[in-house]
């Protein structure tokens, strides 16, 4: 009888051990790749990891679906004098200078002046504006002007009413620019400039698309970060982790499902930005 009890106890111990091992294995296998992130924005989908870099999309920021932006001056297709040009916007359901009330602001470079407008001329680095009226220099020539609303941590609002795209001519250029307003276009937004201290841990990558969408079976953005390539198939902001201190280089290309560059004056762009420990 004693031997029977011992055999039964041993069997129970083995059973408990096997169940515990299976449970631990299941927990390890079910752990999302997103758990490799260091906090802050919640990853949407898996974290892509290559050569010490980690890249993931996120979409958990506060949404402003009713926000609307329209540029009144200069008029679309209008002609202005070269030099300082007056810009004047209509804005509704969006408060400039407000700090975006979301914890994401604690994990990314955040403007202390609050929410603002990104104004991009000819896909050059944007200027940030905290009022609906300002002046900005335009050199003589034809210019493509993209404006869109931005959260305080520089993440763009991506719904249709949140942006304005138009062409404006400054002066009397001898050479004219052709730009198809109905073609697929990509504009660069972030990263930009210098990041210091805690802001270097998670750097946001953000771009703006017009007349196109991204999908696993359609158009995509190829992001080459310090020589390492990532394919982005969601039009969302992305977080980059593991970037080295010093100068970093990023190249963005709007590509089709075959990996070919989609024609357009701004669909391939290379920028640099700098990270500093202190």
């Amino acid at each position: 009888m004693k031997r029977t009890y011992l055999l039964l106890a041993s069997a129970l111990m083995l059973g408990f051990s096997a169940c515990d091992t299976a449970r631990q294995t299941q927990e390890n296998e079910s752990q999302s790749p997103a758990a490799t992130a260091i906090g802050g924005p919640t990853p949407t989908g898996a974290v892509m990891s290559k050569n010490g870099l980690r890249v993931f999309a996120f979409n958990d920021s506060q949404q402003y679906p009713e926000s609307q932006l329209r540029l009144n001056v200069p008029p679309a297709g209008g002609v202005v004098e070269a030099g300082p040009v007056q810009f004047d916007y209509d804005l509704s359901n969006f408060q400039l200078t407000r700090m975006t009330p979301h914890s994401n602001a604690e994990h990314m470079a955040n403007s202390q002046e609050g929410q603002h407008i990104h104004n991009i001329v000819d896909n050059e680095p944007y200027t940030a504006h905290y009022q609906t009226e300002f002046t900005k220099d335009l050199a003589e020539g034809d210019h493509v002007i993209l404006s869109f609303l931005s959260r305080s941590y520089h993440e763009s609002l991506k719904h249709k009413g949140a942006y304005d795209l138009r062409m404006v001519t400054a002066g009397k250029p001898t050479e004219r620019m052709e730009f198809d307003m109905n073609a697929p276009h990509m504009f660069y937004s972030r990263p930009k400039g210098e990041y210091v201290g805690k802001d270097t841990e998670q750097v946001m990558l953000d771009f703006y698309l017009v007349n196109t969408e991204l999908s696993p079976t359609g158009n995509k953005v190829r992001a080459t970060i310090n020589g390492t390539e990532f394919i982005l198939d969601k039009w969302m902001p992305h977080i980059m982790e593991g970037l080295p201190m010093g100068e970093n280089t990023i190249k963005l290309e709007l590509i089709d499902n075959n990996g070919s560059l989609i024609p357009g004056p701004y669909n391939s762009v290379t920028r640099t930005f700098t990270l500093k420990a202190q």
Side-chain angles (χ1 to χ4, degrees), residues 173-214:
T174 56
E175 295 184 6
R176 306 308 301 267
M177 174 185 181
E178 291 187 7
F179 182 82
D180 185 352
M181 296 288 290
N182 298 313
H185 297 291
M186 178 188 67
F187 296 83
Y188 184 102
S189 183
R190 300 282 291 186
K192 175 178 180 281
E194 186 175 277
Y195 298 75
V196 180
K198 188 178 179 180
D199 290 347
T200 65
E201 295 177 1
Q202 293 189 319
V203 177
M204 184 183 67
L205 163 63
D206 203 17
F207 48 86
Y208 217 88
L209 299 178
V210 178
N211 302 324
T212 188
E213 297 179 354
L214 305 184

Side-chain angles (χ1 to χ4, degrees), residues 106 157 197 238:
E106 302 172 5
L157 273 62
H238 287 69

